[in-house]
PDB file of all heavy atoms in Angstrom:
ATOM      1  N   ILE A   1     165.652  27.324 142.043  1.00  0.00           N
ATOM      2  CA  ILE A   1     166.722  26.635 142.863  1.00  0.00           C
ATOM      3  C   ILE A   1     168.060  26.649 142.201  1.00  0.00           C
ATOM      4  O   ILE A   1     169.151  26.966 142.685  1.00  0.00           O
ATOM      5  CB  ILE A   1     166.298  25.248 143.311  1.00  0.00           C
ATOM      6  CG1 ILE A   1     165.105  25.270 144.207  1.00  0.00           C
ATOM      7  CG2 ILE A   1     167.474  24.493 143.989  1.00  0.00           C
ATOM      8  CD1 ILE A   1     164.497  23.955 144.455  1.00  0.00           C
ATOM      9  N   ALA A   2     168.075  26.240 140.789  1.00  0.00           N
ATOM     10  CA  ALA A   2     169.332  26.169 140.007  1.00  0.00           C
ATOM     11  C   ALA A   2     169.961  27.594 140.036  1.00  0.00           C
ATOM     12  O   ALA A   2     171.269  27.581 139.869  1.00  0.00           O
ATOM     13  CB  ALA A   2     168.961  25.567 138.717  1.00  0.00           C
ATOM     14  N   LYS A   3     169.199  28.572 140.007  1.00  0.00           N
ATOM     15  CA  LYS A   3     169.848  29.969 139.822  1.00  0.00           C
ATOM     16  C   LYS A   3     170.101  30.618 141.161  1.00  0.00           C
ATOM     17  O   LYS A   3     170.513  31.826 141.254  1.00  0.00           O
ATOM     18  CB  LYS A   3     168.831  30.795 138.979  1.00  0.00           C
ATOM     19  CG  LYS A   3     168.726  30.334 137.551  1.00  0.00           C
ATOM     20  CD  LYS A   3     167.833  31.370 136.708  1.00  0.00           C
ATOM     21  CE  LYS A   3     167.725  30.981 135.351  1.00  0.00           C
ATOM     22  NZ  LYS A   3     166.978  31.871 134.494  1.00  0.00           N
ATOM     23  N   ASN A   4     169.758  29.957 142.222  1.00  0.00           N
ATOM     24  CA  ASN A   4     169.878  30.605 143.652  1.00  0.00           C
ATOM     25  C   ASN A   4     169.176  31.942 143.764  1.00  0.00           C
ATOM     26  O   ASN A   4     169.783  32.975 144.173  1.00  0.00           O
ATOM     27  CB  ASN A   4     171.394  30.767 143.938  1.00  0.00           C
ATOM     28  CG  ASN A   4     171.708  30.469 145.390  1.00  0.00           C
ATOM     29  OD1 ASN A   4     170.956  29.601 146.066  1.00  0.00           O
ATOM     30  ND2 ASN A   4     172.711  31.119 145.905  1.00  0.00           N
ATOM     31  N   THR A   5     168.020  32.011 143.236  1.00  0.00           N
ATOM     32  CA  THR A   5     167.295  33.276 142.989  1.00  0.00           C
ATOM     33  C   THR A   5     165.881  33.081 143.562  1.00  0.00           C
ATOM     34  O   THR A   5     165.216  31.997 143.509  1.00  0.00           O
ATOM     35  CB  THR A   5     167.181  33.538 141.468  1.00  0.00           C
ATOM     36  OG1 THR A   5     168.457  33.786 141.042  1.00  0.00           O
ATOM     37  CG2 THR A   5     166.256  34.712 141.196  1.00  0.00           C
ATOM     38  N   VAL A   6     165.370  34.170 144.157  1.00  0.00           N
ATOM     39  CA  VAL A   6     163.998  34.311 144.549  1.00  0.00           C
ATOM     40  C   VAL A   6     163.318  35.397 143.777  1.00  0.00           C
ATOM     41  O   VAL A   6     163.912  36.458 143.614  1.00  0.00           O
ATOM     42  CB  VAL A   6     163.844  34.560 146.043  1.00  0.00           C
ATOM     43  CG1 VAL A   6     164.506  35.737 146.515  1.00  0.00           C
ATOM     44  CG2 VAL A   6     162.427  34.298 146.505  1.00  0.00           C
ATOM     45  N   ASN A   7     162.058  35.211 143.383  1.00  0.00           N
ATOM     46  CA  ASN A   7     161.351  36.221 142.578  1.00  0.00           C
ATOM     47  C   ASN A   7     160.048  36.649 143.297  1.00  0.00           C
ATOM     48  O   ASN A   7     159.580  36.031 144.158  1.00  0.00           O
ATOM     49  CB  ASN A   7     160.923  35.544 141.220  1.00  0.00           C
ATOM     50  CG  ASN A   7     162.108  35.130 140.400  1.00  0.00           C
ATOM     51  OD1 ASN A   7     163.051  35.757 140.312  1.00  0.00           O
ATOM     52  ND2 ASN A   7     162.044  33.830 139.955  1.00  0.00           N
ATOM     53  N   LEU A   8     159.651  37.843 142.862  1.00  0.00           N
ATOM     54  CA  LEU A   8     158.356  38.328 143.368  1.00  0.00           C
ATOM     55  C   LEU A   8     157.532  38.875 142.174  1.00  0.00           C
ATOM     56  O   LEU A   8     157.866  39.978 141.631  1.00  0.00           O
ATOM     57  CB  LEU A   8     158.558  39.464 144.418  1.00  0.00           C
ATOM     58  CG  LEU A   8     157.265  40.027 145.003  1.00  0.00           C
ATOM     59  CD1 LEU A   8     156.628  38.886 145.975  1.00  0.00           C
ATOM     60  CD2 LEU A   8     157.543  41.369 145.739  1.00  0.00           C
ATOM     61  N   GLN A   9     156.547  38.124 141.809  1.00  0.00           N
ATOM     62  CA  GLN A   9     155.649  38.484 140.688  1.00  0.00           C
ATOM     63  C   GLN A   9     154.558  39.381 141.337  1.00  0.00           C
ATOM     64  O   GLN A   9     153.819  39.065 142.195  1.00  0.00           O
ATOM     65  CB  GLN A   9     155.022  37.312 140.056  1.00  0.00           C
ATOM     66  CG  GLN A   9     154.054  37.632 138.904  1.00  0.00           C
ATOM     67  CD  GLN A   9     154.722  38.382 137.776  1.00  0.00           C
ATOM     68  OE1 GLN A   9     155.789  37.873 137.321  1.00  0.00           O
ATOM     69  NE2 GLN A   9     154.079  39.341 137.175  1.00  0.00           N
ATOM     70  N   MET A  10     154.399  40.627 140.793  1.00  0.00           N
ATOM     71  CA  MET A  10     153.411  41.576 141.392  1.00  0.00           C
ATOM     72  C   MET A  10     152.466  41.991 140.260  1.00  0.00           C
ATOM     73  O   MET A  10     152.751  42.513 139.232  1.00  0.00           O
ATOM     74  CB  MET A  10     154.202  42.856 141.835  1.00  0.00           C
ATOM     75  CG  MET A  10     155.449  42.495 142.780  1.00  0.00           C
ATOM     76  SD  MET A  10     156.060  44.033 143.510  1.00  0.00           S
ATOM     77  CE  MET A  10     156.805  44.751 142.005  1.00  0.00           C
ATOM     78  N   ASN A  11     151.253  41.569 140.514  1.00  0.00           N
ATOM     79  CA  ASN A  11     150.160  41.841 139.609  1.00  0.00           C
ATOM     80  C   ASN A  11     149.100  42.857 140.187  1.00  0.00           C
ATOM     81  O   ASN A  11     149.164  42.974 141.447  1.00  0.00           O
ATOM     82  CB  ASN A  11     149.480  40.482 139.210  1.00  0.00           C
ATOM     83  CG  ASN A  11     150.342  39.574 138.480  1.00  0.00           C
ATOM     84  OD1 ASN A  11     151.208  39.952 137.806  1.00  0.00           O
ATOM     85  ND2 ASN A  11     150.142  38.290 138.776  1.00  0.00           N
ATOM     86  N   SER A  12     148.266  43.374 139.342  1.00  0.00           N
ATOM     87  CA  SER A  12     147.294  44.271 139.857  1.00  0.00           C
ATOM     88  C   SER A  12     147.832  45.369 140.757  1.00  0.00           C
ATOM     89  O   SER A  12     147.294  45.646 141.822  1.00  0.00           O
ATOM     90  CB  SER A  12     146.165  43.559 140.597  1.00  0.00           C
ATOM     91  OG  SER A  12     145.520  42.613 139.711  1.00  0.00           O
ATOM     92  N   LEU A  13     148.939  45.977 140.399  1.00  0.00           N
ATOM     93  CA  LEU A  13     149.637  46.959 141.194  1.00  0.00           C
ATOM     94  C   LEU A  13     148.768  48.190 141.415  1.00  0.00           C
ATOM     95  O   LEU A  13     147.995  48.671 140.527  1.00  0.00           O
ATOM     96  CB  LEU A  13     150.935  47.254 140.507  1.00  0.00           C
ATOM     97  CG  LEU A  13     152.095  46.293 140.657  1.00  0.00           C
ATOM     98  CD1 LEU A  13     153.208  46.429 139.722  1.00  0.00           C
ATOM     99  CD2 LEU A  13     152.646  46.237 142.159  1.00  0.00           C
ATOM    100  N   LYS A  14     148.995  48.689 142.602  1.00  0.00           N
ATOM    101  CA  LYS A  14     148.239  49.993 143.116  1.00  0.00           C
ATOM    102  C   LYS A  14     149.203  51.001 143.330  1.00  0.00           C
ATOM    103  O   LYS A  14     150.377  50.707 143.730  1.00  0.00           O
ATOM    104  CB  LYS A  14     147.424  49.526 144.262  1.00  0.00           C
ATOM    105  CG  LYS A  14     146.453  48.370 144.138  1.00  0.00           C
ATOM    106  CD  LYS A  14     145.721  48.079 145.421  1.00  0.00           C
ATOM    107  CE  LYS A  14     144.856  46.865 145.347  1.00  0.00           C
ATOM    108  NZ  LYS A  14     144.168  46.576 146.578  1.00  0.00           N
ATOM    109  N   PRO A  15     148.821  52.243 143.352  1.00  0.00           N
ATOM    110  CA  PRO A  15     149.707  53.330 143.773  1.00  0.00           C
ATOM    111  C   PRO A  15     150.363  53.100 145.135  1.00  0.00           C
ATOM    112  O   PRO A  15     151.544  53.518 145.339  1.00  0.00           O
ATOM    113  CB  PRO A  15     148.877  54.583 143.660  1.00  0.00           C
ATOM    114  CG  PRO A  15     147.872  54.275 142.644  1.00  0.00           C
ATOM    115  CD  PRO A  15     147.593  52.838 142.787  1.00  0.00           C
ATOM    116  N   GLU A  16     149.575  52.536 146.047  1.00  0.00           N
ATOM    117  CA  GLU A  16     150.095  52.304 147.417  1.00  0.00           C
ATOM    118  C   GLU A  16     151.112  51.245 147.482  1.00  0.00           C
ATOM    119  O   GLU A  16     151.833  51.029 148.555  1.00  0.00           O
ATOM    120  CB  GLU A  16     148.962  52.005 148.316  1.00  0.00           C
ATOM    121  CG  GLU A  16     148.063  50.932 147.919  1.00  0.00           C
ATOM    122  CD  GLU A  16     146.768  51.525 147.193  1.00  0.00           C
ATOM    123  OE1 GLU A  16     146.846  52.475 146.369  1.00  0.00           O
ATOM    124  OE2 GLU A  16     145.658  50.886 147.491  1.00  0.00           O
ATOM    125  N   ASP A  17     151.395  50.543 146.398  1.00  0.00           N
ATOM    126  CA  ASP A  17     152.559  49.583 146.369  1.00  0.00           C
ATOM    127  C   ASP A  17     153.887  50.235 145.967  1.00  0.00           C
ATOM    128  O   ASP A  17     154.947  49.622 145.983  1.00  0.00           O
ATOM    129  CB  ASP A  17     152.301  48.548 145.215  1.00  0.00           C
ATOM    130  CG  ASP A  17     151.119  47.617 145.585  1.00  0.00           C
ATOM    131  OD1 ASP A  17     150.930  47.221 146.774  1.00  0.00           O
ATOM    132  OD2 ASP A  17     150.205  47.367 144.647  1.00  0.00           O
ATOM    133  N   THR A  18     153.776  51.614 145.705  1.00  0.00           N
ATOM    134  CA  THR A  18     155.002  52.318 145.412  1.00  0.00           C
ATOM    135  C   THR A  18     156.008  52.314 146.668  1.00  0.00           C
ATOM    136  O   THR A  18     155.593  52.601 147.772  1.00  0.00           O
ATOM    137  CB  THR A  18     154.671  53.707 145.089  1.00  0.00           C
ATOM    138  OG1 THR A  18     153.965  53.765 143.883  1.00  0.00           O
ATOM    139  CG2 THR A  18     155.955  54.660 144.852  1.00  0.00           C
ATOM    140  N   ALA A  19     157.254  51.892 146.338  1.00  0.00           N
ATOM    141  CA  ALA A  19     158.143  51.807 147.556  1.00  0.00           C
ATOM    142  C   ALA A  19     159.529  51.251 146.988  1.00  0.00           C
ATOM    143  O   ALA A  19     159.504  50.797 145.795  1.00  0.00           O
ATOM    144  CB  ALA A  19     157.697  50.805 148.511  1.00  0.00           C
ATOM    145  N   VAL A  20     160.542  51.254 147.744  1.00  0.00           N
ATOM    146  CA  VAL A  20     161.760  50.632 147.520  1.00  0.00           C
ATOM    147  C   VAL A  20     161.582  49.083 148.089  1.00  0.00           C
ATOM    148  O   VAL A  20     161.187  48.994 149.216  1.00  0.00           O
ATOM    149  CB  VAL A  20     163.041  51.247 148.127  1.00  0.00           C
ATOM    150  CG1 VAL A  20     164.240  50.282 147.884  1.00  0.00           C
ATOM    151  CG2 VAL A  20     163.079  52.603 147.577  1.00  0.00           C
ATOM    152  N   TYR A  21     161.804  48.118 147.180  1.00  0.00           N
ATOM    153  CA  TYR A  21     161.650  46.794 147.561  1.00  0.00           C
ATOM    154  C   TYR A  21     163.004  46.083 147.859  1.00  0.00           C
ATOM    155  O   TYR A  21     163.966  46.228 147.047  1.00  0.00           O
ATOM    156  CB  TYR A  21     160.880  45.936 146.495  1.00  0.00           C
ATOM    157  CG  TYR A  21     159.444  46.309 146.455  1.00  0.00           C
ATOM    158  CD1 TYR A  21     158.946  47.531 146.127  1.00  0.00           C
ATOM    159  CD2 TYR A  21     158.521  45.349 146.922  1.00  0.00           C
ATOM    160  CE1 TYR A  21     157.538  47.830 146.091  1.00  0.00           C
ATOM    161  CE2 TYR A  21     157.144  45.636 146.880  1.00  0.00           C
ATOM    162  CZ  TYR A  21     156.679  46.769 146.420  1.00  0.00           C
ATOM    163  OH  TYR A  21     155.301  47.091 146.529  1.00  0.00           O
ATOM    164  N   TYR A  22     163.092  45.433 148.997  1.00  0.00           N
ATOM    165  CA  TYR A  22     164.280  44.820 149.392  1.00  0.00           C
ATOM    166  C   TYR A  22     164.114  43.306 149.538  1.00  0.00           C
ATOM    167  O   TYR A  22     163.024  42.785 149.995  1.00  0.00           O
ATOM    168  CB  TYR A  22     164.742  45.304 150.788  1.00  0.00           C
ATOM    169  CG  TYR A  22     165.025  46.791 150.803  1.00  0.00           C
ATOM    170  CD1 TYR A  22     163.963  47.739 151.134  1.00  0.00           C
ATOM    171  CD2 TYR A  22     166.312  47.283 150.522  1.00  0.00           C
ATOM    172  CE1 TYR A  22     164.342  49.055 151.177  1.00  0.00           C
ATOM    173  CE2 TYR A  22     166.578  48.662 150.609  1.00  0.00           C
ATOM    174  CZ  TYR A  22     165.642  49.485 150.906  1.00  0.00           C
ATOM    175  OH  TYR A  22     165.822  50.858 151.001  1.00  0.00           O
ATOM    176  N   CYS A  23     165.048  42.468 149.086  1.00  0.00           N
ATOM    177  CA  CYS A  23     165.040  41.146 149.454  1.00  0.00           C
ATOM    178  C   CYS A  23     165.964  40.911 150.699  1.00  0.00           C
ATOM    179  O   CYS A  23     166.929  41.688 150.983  1.00  0.00           O
ATOM    180  CB  CYS A  23     165.428  40.131 148.338  1.00  0.00           C
ATOM    181  SG  CYS A  23     167.068  40.213 147.876  1.00  0.00           S
ATOM    182  N   ALA A  24     165.651  39.866 151.443  1.00  0.00           N
ATOM    183  CA  ALA A  24     166.405  39.617 152.705  1.00  0.00           C
ATOM    184  C   ALA A  24     166.500  38.154 152.857  1.00  0.00           C
ATOM    185  O   ALA A  24     165.617  37.325 152.426  1.00  0.00           O
ATOM    186  CB  ALA A  24     165.631  40.264 153.861  1.00  0.00           C
ATOM    187  N   ALA A  25     167.527  37.665 153.613  1.00  0.00           N
ATOM    188  CA  ALA A  25     167.801  36.257 153.824  1.00  0.00           C
ATOM    189  C   ALA A  25     167.962  36.012 155.338  1.00  0.00           C
ATOM    190  O   ALA A  25     168.702  36.811 156.000  1.00  0.00           O
ATOM    191  CB  ALA A  25     168.962  35.829 153.051  1.00  0.00           C
ATOM    192  N   ASP A  26     167.405  34.958 155.808  1.00  0.00           N
ATOM    193  CA  ASP A  26     167.588  34.465 157.202  1.00  0.00           C
ATOM    194  C   ASP A  26     167.915  33.014 157.187  1.00  0.00           C
ATOM    195  O   ASP A  26     167.274  32.260 156.515  1.00  0.00           O
ATOM    196  CB  ASP A  26     166.364  34.798 158.015  1.00  0.00           C
ATOM    197  CG  ASP A  26     166.300  33.995 159.328  1.00  0.00           C
ATOM    198  OD1 ASP A  26     167.433  33.843 159.973  1.00  0.00           O
ATOM    199  OD2 ASP A  26     165.208  33.600 159.784  1.00  0.00           O
ATOM    200  N   PHE A  27     169.111  32.621 157.766  1.00  0.00           N
ATOM    201  CA  PHE A  27     169.460  31.219 157.822  1.00  0.00           C
ATOM    202  C   PHE A  27     169.299  30.669 159.194  1.00  0.00           C
ATOM    203  O   PHE A  27     169.534  29.499 159.497  1.00  0.00           O
ATOM    204  CB  PHE A  27     170.951  31.152 157.452  1.00  0.00           C
ATOM    205  CG  PHE A  27     171.229  31.457 156.092  1.00  0.00           C
ATOM    206  CD1 PHE A  27     171.426  32.715 155.612  1.00  0.00           C
ATOM    207  CD2 PHE A  27     171.083  30.462 155.099  1.00  0.00           C
ATOM    208  CE1 PHE A  27     171.625  33.113 154.259  1.00  0.00           C
ATOM    209  CE2 PHE A  27     171.321  30.802 153.638  1.00  0.00           C
ATOM    210  CZ  PHE A  27     171.643  32.073 153.295  1.00  0.00           C
ATOM    211  N   SER A  28     168.902  31.448 160.151  1.00  0.00           N
ATOM    212  CA  SER A  28     168.788  30.953 161.598  1.00  0.00           C
ATOM    213  C   SER A  28     167.562  30.032 161.818  1.00  0.00           C
ATOM    214  O   SER A  28     167.485  29.175 162.717  1.00  0.00           O
ATOM    215  CB  SER A  28     168.619  32.086 162.571  1.00  0.00           C
ATOM    216  OG  SER A  28     167.326  32.757 162.370  1.00  0.00           O
ATOM    217  N   ARG A  29     166.676  30.030 160.879  1.00  0.00           N
ATOM    218  CA  ARG A  29     165.504  29.140 160.975  1.00  0.00           C
ATOM    219  C   ARG A  29     165.582  27.844 160.072  1.00  0.00           C
ATOM    220  O   ARG A  29     164.583  27.173 159.931  1.00  0.00           O
ATOM    221  CB  ARG A  29     164.138  29.880 160.778  1.00  0.00           C
ATOM    222  CG  ARG A  29     163.882  30.904 161.714  1.00  0.00           C
ATOM    223  CD  ARG A  29     162.714  31.770 161.379  1.00  0.00           C
ATOM    224  NE  ARG A  29     162.211  32.583 162.512  1.00  0.00           N
ATOM    225  CZ  ARG A  29     162.958  33.592 162.902  1.00  0.00           C
ATOM    226  NH1 ARG A  29     164.031  33.939 162.413  1.00  0.00           N
ATOM    227  NH2 ARG A  29     162.463  34.262 164.033  1.00  0.00           N
ATOM    228  N   TYR A  30     166.714  27.704 159.453  1.00  0.00           N
ATOM    229  CA  TYR A  30     167.012  26.586 158.655  1.00  0.00           C
ATOM    230  C   TYR A  30     165.981  26.346 157.542  1.00  0.00           C
ATOM    231  O   TYR A  30     165.765  25.225 156.969  1.00  0.00           O
ATOM    232  CB  TYR A  30     167.103  25.291 159.561  1.00  0.00           C
ATOM    233  CG  TYR A  30     168.101  25.411 160.567  1.00  0.00           C
ATOM    234  CD1 TYR A  30     167.718  25.628 161.893  1.00  0.00           C
ATOM    235  CD2 TYR A  30     169.475  25.318 160.302  1.00  0.00           C
ATOM    236  CE1 TYR A  30     168.748  25.897 162.835  1.00  0.00           C
ATOM    237  CE2 TYR A  30     170.404  25.427 161.350  1.00  0.00           C
ATOM    238  CZ  TYR A  30     170.014  25.720 162.541  1.00  0.00           C
ATOM    239  OH  TYR A  30     170.940  25.866 163.596  1.00  0.00           O
ATOM    240  N   GLY A  31     165.380  27.476 157.242  1.00  0.00           N
ATOM    241  CA  GLY A  31     164.389  27.257 156.029  1.00  0.00           C
ATOM    242  C   GLY A  31     163.163  26.618 156.365  1.00  0.00           C
ATOM    243  O   GLY A  31     162.373  26.245 155.466  1.00  0.00           O
ATOM    244  N   ILE A  32     162.853  26.490 157.598  1.00  0.00           N
ATOM    245  CA  ILE A  32     161.698  25.760 158.067  1.00  0.00           C
ATOM    246  C   ILE A  32     160.516  26.674 158.440  1.00  0.00           C
ATOM    247  O   ILE A  32     159.331  26.456 158.040  1.00  0.00           O
ATOM    248  CB  ILE A  32     161.936  24.869 159.265  1.00  0.00           C
ATOM    249  CG1 ILE A  32     163.051  23.820 158.860  1.00  0.00           C
ATOM    250  CG2 ILE A  32     160.805  24.163 159.825  1.00  0.00           C
ATOM    251  CD1 ILE A  32     163.591  22.998 160.020  1.00  0.00           C
TER     252      ILE A  32
END
């Protein structure tokens, strides 16, 4: 919260996880 950051910890990675990863934000649902 203090850093205004979201993380994604990925463990046990597989070849099929290969991709470009994007983060996205939506404010229309008020975070609910």
Side-chain angles (χ1 to χ4, degrees):
I1 296 174
K3 294 183 178 181
N4 217 33
T5 294
V6 64
N7 302 309
L8 185 69
Q9 177 67 40
M10 305 186 295
N11 298 328
S12 302
L13 283 161
K14 304 175 181 180
E16 51 263 44
D17 294 319
T18 295
V20 177
Y21 283 70
Y22 298 90
C23 71
D26 165 34
F27 293 89
S28 68
R29 290 173 170 75
Y30 303 102
I32 297 173

